[in-house]
Amino acid sequence: MRKTLTYAMLIFFSLLFIAPLFWAVTTALKSQQELYLFPPKWIPSVWKFSNFAEAWNTQPFNLFLKNTVIITALSTIGQLISCTLVAYGFARFQFKGRDMLFLVVLATMMIPWEVTMIPQYMEFNYLGWINTLKPLIVPSWFGSAYYIFLLRQFILTLPRELDEAATIDGASKMTVLFRIIVPLMGPSLILVAVFQIMNCWNDYLGPLIFLNDQTKYTLTLGLSQFKGMYGVDMQSIMAITCLISIPPLAIFFFAQRYIVGGIATTGIKG
Amino acid sequence: MAQTYLQHTREQSAALKPSRKRRWGGAAPYLFIFPWIFGFIVFTLGPLLFSLIISFFDWPIVGKVTFIGVDNYVQMFTNDPMFWKSLFVTLKFAALFVPLNIIIALGLAMLLNQKVRGSAIFRTAFYLPSVISGVALAMIWSWVYSGDYGILNYFLSLFGIQGPDWLNDTKWSLVAMVVASLWGQGSMMLIFLAGLKGIPKDLYESASIDGAGKIRQFFSVTIPMITPTILFNLITSIIAAFQQLTLALLLTGGGPLKSTYFYAMYMYENAFKYFKMGYSAANAWFMFLIVLVLTFLVFKSSEAWVFYEGEMKKNSQKKLKAGKGGQTG
C-alpha cells in the first residue's frame, strides 16, 4: 500500500517535470495549423522534422554553435588546469597564510556576481575585450572557488604516503601532481568538467553583457533573439530549444552517476 | 561550514608541523596557487573595491566622471520609487521561492530515498529541467503560461476553471515566475538526497524500538540529521532568489506594471540600459549588504536549530544507553 503510494507520487511528479519538455519536443514537430489549437494536440498528426532545419537557418546558428563550442571548450580546459594546480597547492602544502587564503577562496563564493559585474565590464572595455569571446574564456583560466574547493576536498582524501613515496624516489612536486594525484582524480575532474560545460553552454547573462555583434553570439543569445522578433513561429523557438538542449542532456545522461556520487562525497555537510 | 574545514586543515597541519614544515615550505606552494591569487585580484577583489569607488561617482560609461559623495545612496533611499518597488518585488519573490524550494526539494528527495525500482529514471526526470539553459526554460514556460493556448490553462479547463493570462496578469505574474524558477532546481534535490543517504540506518531502528512512528521519526531523526544540508540549501536559495534575472528578462521583461521587476533587473537596466554605472554600483552594494545580513542572520539562528553529527552521535549514544538501561532495569 505504502509502496503503491510512493510509486504513484513518483510517477505523478515525474510527469509534471517532464510534460513541458515533452510538449516542447512535440511542438517543434508540429505543422503551422496545429500550433494554436485549443485543446492542444500532444502528438502532431504529421511529424515535420524539416522544422529543425528551417529554424536553424533563420539565423546564423552554425556560427553561434561554433562560438559556443569555442567558449565552452577553452574555458573548461582552463578551469581543469588552473583548479587542479590551485587545489593541489592548498591541499598538499604548508605555507604562511594558507588557511586565511582558503577562507578567502570560500568567501568569494558569497559575493554576488552583480557587485563585480560593472567594474568587470569597464575593465574588459578598457582592454578592448568587449564584443570578443575573451571575457567569457580568460577568467576561467584563473580558477573558480567552487571547483577549487571541490578538488581540494578530493585531494585531501588521497593518502599522503603516495606523495611521500614518490618524493623519496626523487619526483618533483609537479611530477607528483601529474603522475600520481591527477590520475587518481578522474571522477572529480569529470565532475568539474561537466559542471563547467553546463554553466558555459547555458550561460545567458555573460554573453548578453559582453557581446553585442551578432557574429559573436552564442546559442542562448540566438535563441533569445526569437523573443524580440515579430511573427516567428513558436515551433522554430521550440525546435531551437530542443536542439541546443541536446548536448547538455547527453552529457548529463553519461555523467549522472559521477554527479550524484560526486555530490555525496564532496562533503556539503558541516 | 568554513570553520569546520579550517579546523580540519589545522588538525592536519598540527600533525605535520614538527617533521615536515621546512620541506613543504618555500615558494613552491605560492606558485601552485598563483593562478587563483592573480584571478582573485584582477577579477574579484579589484572589481569589488572599484565598484565601491564607482558608487560614489556619477559615472556614465562615456562622458564626464564626477565625484558626488553619497548622493547615489541618498537618491536611492529618498527619491527613487523604482528602487523600493524592485526591492519589494524581490523580497516577495524570495519569501515565496525560498520556503517552497526547500520543501519541494526535500519532498522529492524523500520520495527518491525510498527503495524503489527505477530510481535512476525518476531521479533523471526530476533533474532534467536543471540541465537545460535558463533561456530554453523561459521559452518553454512562456508557452506553458500562454493565456489562449497554454497547456496550464488547458489542464485547468479540464476541471472547468478558466485560467488567467498568467504572465500578463499582475495578480499571477510573480507566482508564475516562482513556479518556473522552482522547476529548474533539481540540484537542491540531489543535495538533499545525498544528505538523506548519509543518515545512519540504526538511528531509525533505535527510534522505532523506542516506539516512534513514521511521522515522529521524520521530525526527531530525519529533520535534525539533515539540518546542516537545510542550512546550506537555505543560504544558496536566498542568494539565488536575489540574483534571479534571466527568467525575468525573458519571460516578462519586468512587467506587467513592474510586478516582476526584480532588484537584479533594476540594477542591470541602470547599468546597461541607462548607463548609470555609479548608481547601479550603489544598488549592487546595497544588495550585497542585504544578502550578507540575511546570510549572517541565518548563520546566527542556525546555532539554535542546526545539529552537527558529532553532537548527534553523542546524544544518540546517550539515548541508546538510557534505552538499554531502561530495558534491562
Side-chain angles (χ1 to χ4, degrees):
Chain A
M1 181 57 211
R2 227 175 80 88
K3 267 266 129 75
T4 323
L5 190 70
T6 308
Y7 276 109
M9 283 170 76
L10 277 170
I11 290 170
F12 174 77
F13 284 113
S14 305
L15 288 179
L16 215 59
F17 272 77
I18 289 186
L21 294 175
F22 177 75
W23 199 46
V25 175
T26 62
T27 299
L29 289 164
K30 277 177 198 162
S31 64
Q32 189 68 31
Q33 297 89 307
E34 285 181 320
L35 263 191
Y36 299 102
L37 287 182
F38 196 89
K41 243 185 129 162
W42 285 88
I43 309 292
S45 46
V46 190
W47 299 53
K48 285 196 71 183
F49 286 101
S50 57
N51 283 346
F52 288 104
E54 277 167 30
W56 194 262
N57 290 326
T58 53
Q59 286 182 66
F61 272 104
N62 280 332
L63 189 61
F64 301 164
L65 176 67
K66 196 182 110 196
N67 291 337
T68 311
V69 169
I70 291 173
I71 295 170
T72 307
L74 291 182
S75 74
T76 305
I77 294 169
Q79 290 286 10
L80 287 174
I81 295 174
S82 59
C83 294
T84 303
L85 290 173
V86 176
Y88 177 67
F90 275 116
R92 282 295 200 251
F93 292 92
Q94 278 294 318
F95 53 90
K96 234 181 127 194
R98 182 189 69 177
D99 294 353
M100 251 310 282
L101 280 174
F102 195 69
L103 196 63
V104 176
V105 173
L106 294 179
T108 57
M109 290 197 281
M110 300 238 170
I111 301 170
W113 178 64
E114 281 86 348
V115 185
T116 51
M117 168 177 86
I118 294 161
Q120 267 193 26
Y121 178 86
M122 295 165 93
E123 195 177 324
F124 294 136
N125 193 28
Y126 176 77
L127 292 169
W129 287 7
I130 298 299
N131 209 22
T132 71
L133 305 183
K134 284 177 199 159
L136 302 165
I137 297 169
V138 177
S140 317
W141 284 79
F142 299 97
S144 288
Y146 184 78
Y147 304 137
I148 292 172
F149 182 33
L150 201 148
L151 293 180
R152 170 190 174 266
Q153 292 309 104
F154 183 80
I155 296 176
L156 284 178
T157 65
L158 300 176
R160 248 172 207 277
E161 285 72 25
L162 289 174
D163 306 30
E164 277 154 26
T167 313
I168 289 165
D169 289 348
S172 71
K173 304 280 188 287
M174 273 294 188
T175 317
V176 170
L177 174 59
F178 286 104
R179 287 289 170 78
I180 298 185
I181 308 276
V182 169
L184 291 171
M185 285 170 77
S188 51
L189 288 176
I190 290 175
L191 192 66
V192 168
V194 169
F195 283 164
Q196 178 67 17
I197 290 171
M198 297 269 178
N199 285 342
C200 251
W201 192 269
N202 292 335
D203 188 18
Y204 173 65
L205 292 173
L208 179 70
I209 288 170
F210 296 127
L211 307 173
N212 32 43
D213 170 7
Q214 225 205 9
T215 59
K216 299 294 188 320
Y217 274 11
T218 59
L219 290 170
T220 51
L221 279 183
L223 175 57
S224 73
Q225 290 303 295
F226 281 120
K227 208 55 205 176
M229 286 157 116
Y230 182 72
V232 165
D233 306 323
M234 206 60 187
Q235 78 261 52
S236 297
I237 294 185
M238 287 307 148
I240 299 295
T241 301
C242 294
L243 287 177
I244 72 169
S245 301
I246 291 172
L249 287 180
I251 287 169
F252 171 72
F253 181 77
F254 289 112
Q256 64 153 322
R257 53 209 172 99
Y258 291 111
I259 295 177
V260 175
I263 287 172
T265 53
T266 36
I268 277 134
K269 280 190 175 182
Chain B
M1 190 169 68
Q3 268 176 349
T4 336
Y5 285 115
L6 277 187
Q7 219 173 354
H8 182 58
T9 53
R10 263 191 213 120
E11 276 158 22
Q12 281 188 341
S13 29
L16 289 169
K17 240 166 217 165
S19 60
R20 299 200 198 107
K21 194 177 179 184
R22 199 179 293 169
R23 252 174 54 198
W24 292 94
Y30 296 101
L31 286 177
F32 278 103
I33 66 165
F34 175 75
W36 175 78
I37 293 180
F38 181 86
F40 171 69
I41 292 169
V42 173
F43 299 116
T44 308
L45 185 67
L48 194 67
L49 295 176
F50 194 46
S51 103
L52 188 62
I53 295 170
I54 298 172
S55 76
F56 296 110
F57 284 84
D58 178 20
W59 199 311
I61 188 115
V62 279
K64 209 168 136 271
V65 172
T66 336
F67 179 77
I68 53 168
V70 292
D71 277 13
N72 281 329
Y73 292 93
V74 174
Q75 163 87 7
M76 220 160 86
F77 292 120
T78 58
N79 192 21
D80 186 353
M82 240 33 259
F83 165 79
W84 292 109
K85 171 84 189 169
S86 62
L87 183 60
F88 186 57
V89 168
T90 301
L91 289 175
K92 258 203 312 201
F93 177 80
L96 284 169
F97 174 78
V98 174
L100 280 174
N101 195 11
I102 289 188
I103 291 167
I104 291 171
L106 179 57
L108 292 178
M110 300 226 6
L111 271 176
L112 285 176
N113 198 33
Q114 314 281 324
K115 270 217 169 72
V116 286
R117 258 166 221 257
S119 62
I121 295 170
F122 292 119
R123 199 168 60 204
T124 309
F126 295 147
Y127 194 71
L128 270 187
S130 339
V131 175
I132 295 168
S133 86
V135 182
L137 286 186
M139 295 299 175
I140 291 173
W141 280 96
S142 70
W143 195 224
V144 170
Y145 282 139
S146 160
D148 303 323
Y149 37 75
I151 34 173
L152 182 56
N153 280 358
Y154 166 67
F155 276 116
L156 291 176
S157 74
L158 295 180
F159 300 98
I161 302 168
Q162 169 69 49
D165 188 0
W166 299 93
L167 293 170
N168 291 312
D169 186 326
T170 48
K171 262 192 291 192
W172 292 104
S173 52
L174 194 67
V175 177
M177 209 68 110
V178 170
V179 172
S181 312
L182 289 171
W183 194 55
Q185 281 295 314
S187 50
M188 189 158 292
M189 174 200 74
L190 288 188
I191 293 171
F192 268 131
L193 187 59
L196 290 173
K197 290 219 186 291
I199 302 177
K201 292 266 185 308
D202 57 331
L203 283 180
Y204 288 106
E205 279 158 25
S206 64
S208 71
I209 289 169
D210 287 350
K214 287 282 166 204
I215 294 168
R216 186 65 211 275
Q217 282 180 25
F218 174 73
F219 285 106
S220 328
V221 179
T222 310
I223 290 285
M225 286 304 284
I226 56 162
T227 42
T229 319
I230 295 179
L231 177 67
F232 178 85
N233 282 341
L234 189 60
I235 289 172
T236 49
S237 287
I238 291 173
I239 296 174
F242 272 86
Q243 297 187 347
Q244 180 59 275
L245 178 57
T246 305
L247 267 184
L249 277 176
L250 290 162
L251 266 184
T252 60
L257 293 174
K258 306 274 179 199
S259 57
T260 57
Y261 195 62
F262 293 122
Y263 192 77
M265 193 163 170
Y266 182 54
M267 240 154 59
Y268 170 81
E269 289 200 340
N270 269 333
F272 300 107
K273 201 169 164 188
Y274 311 121
F275 300 112
K276 295 197 282 186
M277 294 290 175
Y279 194 60
S280 183
N283 289 166
W285 267 89
F286 185 65
M287 178 173 104
F288 189 24
L289 279 183
I290 297 180
V291 173
L292 223 55
V293 168
L294 283 177
T295 313
F296 176 76
L297 289 178
V298 171
F299 259 116
K300 259 287 179 229
S301 80
S302 76
E303 284 164 17
W305 59 268
V306 171
F307 300 94
Y308 290 102
E309 235 170 310
E311 302 165 42
M312 253 330 260
K313 269 184 194 137
K314 259 184 255 158
N315 288 343
S316 69
Q317 268 163 6
K318 257 187 226 159
K319 216 176 171 185
L320 270 179
K321 266 181 202 158
K324 271 181 193 151
Q327 271 169 4
T328 47

